[in-house]
Amino acid sequence: MFSFTAGVRGAHRLGAASFKASILATMLVWSTGYAAPQAALAQSVSQEQKTFDIAAQPLAEAITAFGLQAGVQISVNPALVADTRTDGVSGTMTVEVGLAALLAGTDLVWRRDDSGIAIVQGVSGGPIVLPTLTIVGEKIERSYLDTQTSVGVATADDIDRYKLDELSDTFNTMANVRHYPSSQANKGMQIRGVSADGVSEPENSAPTISVIIDGVAQSSEALRRGSRGTWDMEQVEVLRGPQSTLYGPNAMAGAIVMESQDPTYDWEAATKGVYGNDERHDGAIMVNGPLMEDQVAIRIAAESRNHYKDIDQATEADSALNEDQYRSIRGKLLIEPRRIDGLSVTLMANDIFDKPSTSTVNGDDHFARQYNSLSSGFSTEELRKMNANNYSAEVVYDIDDSLSLTSVTTFHDASLTIETAPGNTAFIRDDKRRDENFSQDLRLNLEGDSALTGTIGLYAARQDKASYGTIFIGLGAGLGVTVDVHSDARNTIDTTAIYSDLRYDLGSGFSLIGGGRIQRDTVSNFIDRDVTSLAANTAGFDITFAKDMDEKRTDVALLPKLGLAYDVTDNQVVGLTVTRGYRQGFSQVVEETVNDIREVAPEYVWTTELSWRDESVRNLTWGANVFYNSYQDQQVTISNNNILSSFNAEGSYSYGAELEGRATVMEEFSTFGALGLLKTRLGEVNASTCASASCEGNDFPEAPAITASLGGAWDSDTGLFAAADINYSSEFYSNSALTNDDTQRLNDFFLTNVRAGYRYGSVRLMAYVDNLFDKEYQTSSALNQTSASIGDGRTFGLQLDAKF
């Protein structure tokens, strides 16, 4: 929606209204959409007498003037007011009476909205037109209809309506996107069956998915933890498939783009509190306002979340593993100086603390939810605490209506501490990791009505990772055999690139999609591990081997993108694209050796994708993508008896489809749905683990063949509201289970969540239940089920929130 607001020059994003990228199920009867929120405009405002002087003119312009004179924010879909005129309104009257006069002779009506007033189509005029959804993840604003990339979206309305408190909650509403917690508080995610973790050794961390918060790409450690909060988030987009052309490093499988709300020139505030079982208590606050009228505005948002897992710890000291803590504070400053027309500067700073709980259990019955850190000799279960800081400076200069220059400078700093389970005296670890990432993106955006649109950019980045740690292992009761390990590991990646992503209108409905990226990466690997032990190099664990490496390699990647789109009608678009994705190579010490070096080649993937977008029915939006991935030198990590080794697989491929949509069933009810289909096949891996139990032809780990979701929301004029959603994952193999061992095959599961409550004005009280039917399910498993990670049982609570 466009927003016409007193004191605001205009909405900075077309389509700030609700969309949940999804689709129903098998035969796909779309049913989602727009259920208008209630009563955000106070009754006193709507009844206050105002003086209006609006002449007969186009309705869109009249709405802008009316909002300014009334001092309220009015939102409307531009499609509803196109080519419509009003006779105007003049005199002193209430806002309600003035709006009625302004809309006289049209089929439009107004209603109170969370942010002010929304103008929609009346029931007598037919179905309500769905708001335009704008995708920003391709570094230029495009409508969903014109976006051929397979993209799942959760807007601010979706996050609010379905209580999507964490990033992982949004994944469960999308096709072929999931999040399966594993041990050691790793909160990885998967897109099309490819895990974000990628190479998991700290000296070689190279994720396959880029998580970008307000322009700042998160490091490998922050990707696993720290990027989960959605408070005051404007939109979350998951771009599936290779995004290397636009995002370069760590985007071979996709990109997750999180955009928080920008400052505005209106005073507003919001707050939220949650109290639930398992000692859950959340708090959040947001304050926004102008510092200098129409020139400087600030927005501050903070949230805190505390929760306690219901795992029965055999050792009381290990109860610290159950504690889940998350805190975030973010500030954004918008500067639009009057003296420099077309210049906009947005500064962002974000501080995060994240200590995820673990869901690891062992024993004969995993669903007894018990854990004993000493039950199997020694446990490597760990406490991980992280502080992450994100900083960005985005400078946009509009040269003219169709040409703009954008500079995005970012810095990311993450500090992680690793400690073992406090009750475990046989395995003691003290590890500290530090990630510092700097990036500079300078791009020229071509927009407007010209035949050529898109972006051309220059990119430079430096990623520095450092790890310092000690490990003590008691290898045998009564034997007095111990191992002391001291490790110093560093990894530096220097990246430079030039890229483009362009569209050219060929006429007759055809558009040519072209672009690419030339990227140069220099990867430096260093590790110095000292081992002191009578059993050194004989214990059978790679961690007890000294390591010595100081290597550097440079790769240059050519990453083209080519496609064709055709407008079948004004509201139906079909597209075909071919894209190349990439992940840099690196060096590593060969397992169970001190200084033998093995080079791991860069990984490439060619992705061919057919897309369809359809908005031909006014209350229905849906899209579908069919894809095929062909991998060259796919990088895989094998964990064998605590030995982590990376290899290149030859001949891997995957294929599948995503179907997502939404529609308005009736004025007060909307639904969403999503269906993902996936088939993966691992190629030949030259590794001893796979030689005895061949990996070739196996499924990728954490790659369910079917993912689906379905949900609906009801919001009535009486103030009552309710929402429910269900998501499904078919069976899949646990993380790192390249051999597809049956003991690591995890069963399929459905999860159902419900919310209901009452809204009075700007205050809302809501009750929620997650995992309504208390479904028991696993999210990861060690070989032979010696331990596993399990999903949360039924959780419930109350949420009280307000907007001012």
Side-chain angles (χ1 to χ4, degrees), residues 375-527:
S375 65
S376 57
F378 67 86
S379 166
T380 58
E381 194 61 26
E382 297 164 345
L383 290 169
R384 302 198 172 198
K385 305 175 185 177
M386 194 194 71
N387 282 97
N389 297 285
N390 297 312
Y391 306 95
S392 68
E394 181 183 69
V395 181
V396 179
Y397 180 66
D398 294 328
I399 300 171
D400 56 35
D401 291 340
S402 61
L403 196 63
S404 64
L405 189 65
T406 300
S407 170
V408 180
T409 307
T410 73
F411 180 71
H412 169 80
D413 178 11
S415 299
L416 175 73
T417 61
I418 301 175
E419 302 170 358
T420 41
N424 185 358
T425 58
F427 180 81
I428 301 173
R429 182 178 184 182
D430 182 10
D431 208 14
K432 293 178 174 57
R433 297 179 184 174
R434 185 73 177 264
D435 291 348
E436 292 185 350
N437 297 351
F438 171 82
S439 73
Q440 174 61 57
D441 187 13
L442 180 65
R443 60 183 182 265
L444 186 68
N445 291 331
L446 296 85
E447 303 175 83
D449 298 328
S450 61
L452 183 65
T453 60
T455 186
I456 301 171
L458 298 172
Y459 178 85
R462 182 180 180 90
Q463 304 176 53
D464 281 316
K465 312 173 195 295
S467 175
Y468 309 93
T470 61
I471 297 175
F472 168 83
I473 304 174
L475 290 175
L479 299 179
V481 179
T482 62
V483 177
D484 287 295
V485 181
H486 297 265
S487 180
D488 176 4
R490 293 191 295 275
N491 172 250
T492 301
I493 305 173
D494 290 301
T495 301
T496 54
I498 181 171
Y499 67 90
S500 66
D501 190 300
L502 301 168
R503 308 285 177 90
Y504 185 76
D505 187 354
L506 298 171
S508 302
F510 287 96
S511 295
L512 181 65
I513 301 170
R517 188 182 189 98
I518 301 174
Q519 179 166 307
R520 183 179 187 272
D521 291 308
T522 298
V523 181
S524 302
N525 296 109
F526 171 85
I527 184 169

Side-chain angles (χ1 to χ4, degrees), residues 636 638 649-650 681-700 733 736-742:
V636 297
I638 294 176
E650 292 296 334
R681 182 187 185 279
L682 189 67
E684 181 181 357
V685 182
N686 182 22
S688 58
T689 300
C690 289
S692 58
S694 176
C695 295
E696 186 174 5
N698 289 350
D699 292 347
F700 294 179
Y733 290 98
S736 303
L738 296 178
T739 59
N740 284 187
D741 190 278
D742 284 342

Side-chain angles (χ1 to χ4, degrees), residues 533-548:
S533 171
L534 296 175
N537 299 343
T538 63
F541 298 100
D542 186 50
I543 203 169
T544 67
F545 283 76
K547 286 187 177 182
D548 186 9

Side-chain angles (χ1 to χ4, degrees), residues 110-420:
W110 69 273
R111 61 176 60 126
R112 297 185 181 101
D113 183 274
D114 276 345
S115 57
I117 289 175
I119 294 177
V120 299
Q121 196 165 27
V123 175
S124 62
I128 296 174
V129 176
L130 289 174
T132 301
L133 177 73
T134 298
I135 305 301
V136 300
E138 293 186 323
K139 296 190 176 181
I140 189 171
E141 294 185 1
R142 289 195 179 100
S143 68
Y144 176 72
L145 187 68
D146 293 327
T147 302
Q148 275 65 57
T149 299
S150 181
V151 57
V153 182
T155 66
D157 285 342
D158 301 324
I159 291 169
D160 180 65
R161 181 178 295 134
Y162 294 100
K163 199 177 182 297
L164 308 177
D165 292 334
E166 298 195 4
L167 179 62
S168 58
D169 296 332
T170 70
F171 299 158
N172 290 333
T173 69
M174 301 174 186
N176 280 336
V177 185
R178 281 300 182 267
H179 154 264
Y180 302 118
S182 59
S183 63
Q184 300 172 339
N186 285 334
K187 305 287 184 180
M189 63 282 293
Q190 299 75 33
I191 298 178
R192 292 179 174 176
V194 177
S195 170
D197 280 340
V199 178
S200 58
E201 296 166 282
E203 62 264 32
N204 291 317
S205 296
T208 63
I209 297 170
S210 187
V211 176
I212 300 131
I213 303 177
D214 287 328
V216 185
Q218 304 301 287
S219 65
S220 56
E221 295 298 343
L223 178 144
R224 297 186 183 107
R225 55 197 70 82
S227 58
R228 52 174 163 155
T230 60
W231 171 247
D232 203 41
M233 199 62 58
E234 179 179 349
Q235 191 155 290
V236 175
E237 299 176 11
V238 178
L239 285 76
R240 293 171 286 239
Q243 303 303 316
S244 301
T245 299
L246 282 171
Y247 289 104
N250 307 330
M252 192 204 68
I256 299 170
V257 179
M258 303 176 68
E259 292 286 329
S260 67
Q261 299 278 2
D262 282 336
T264 67
Y265 296 110
D266 294 309
W267 285 107
E268 57 179 315
T271 187
K272 178 180 77 171
V274 177
Y275 183 80
N277 69 321
D278 294 334
E279 301 182 32
R280 176 169 180 178
H281 48 280
D282 302 1
I285 191 170
M286 180 278 295
V287 178
N288 177 94
L291 298 181
M292 185 179 298
E293 186 177 357
D294 292 345
Q295 293 192 83
V296 181
I298 191 170
R299 191 180 192 97
I300 298 174
E303 64 176 317
S304 174
R305 184 176 309 127
N306 294 272
H307 188 215
Y308 201 88
K309 294 283 186 180
D310 60 344
I311 308 297
D312 182 13
Q313 302 290 342
T315 304
E316 184 177 353
D318 288 338
S319 61
L321 296 171
N322 291 349
E323 297 173 1
D324 190 294
Q325 300 176 338
Y326 174 80
R327 296 189 295 274
S328 172
I329 182 168
R330 178 176 55 246
K332 298 181 81 172
L333 187 69
L334 173 66
I335 305 171
E336 295 179 307
R338 283 197 188 122
R339 294 181 179 274
I340 309 177
D341 189 38
L343 179 66
S344 173
V345 178
T346 304
L347 306 177
M348 187 278 295
N350 183 201
D351 177 78
I352 300 169
F353 171 80
D354 195 7
K355 178 200 167 295
S357 57
T358 67
S359 300
T360 302
V361 295
N362 52 23
D364 295 334
D365 179 8
H366 289 164
F367 294 118
R369 307 181 77 83
Q370 297 176 343
Y371 181 68
N372 184 350
S373 64
L374 294 172
S375 65
S376 57
F378 67 86
S379 166
T380 58
E381 194 61 26
E382 297 164 345
L383 290 169
R384 302 198 172 198
K385 305 175 185 177
M386 194 194 71
N387 282 97
N389 297 285
N390 297 312
Y391 306 95
S392 68
E394 181 183 69
V395 181
V396 179
Y397 180 66
D398 294 328
I399 300 171
D400 56 35
D401 291 340
S402 61
L403 196 63
S404 64
L405 189 65
T406 300
S407 170
V408 180
T409 307
T410 73
F411 180 71
H412 169 80
D413 178 11
S415 299
L416 175 73
T417 61
I418 301 175
E419 302 170 358
T420 41

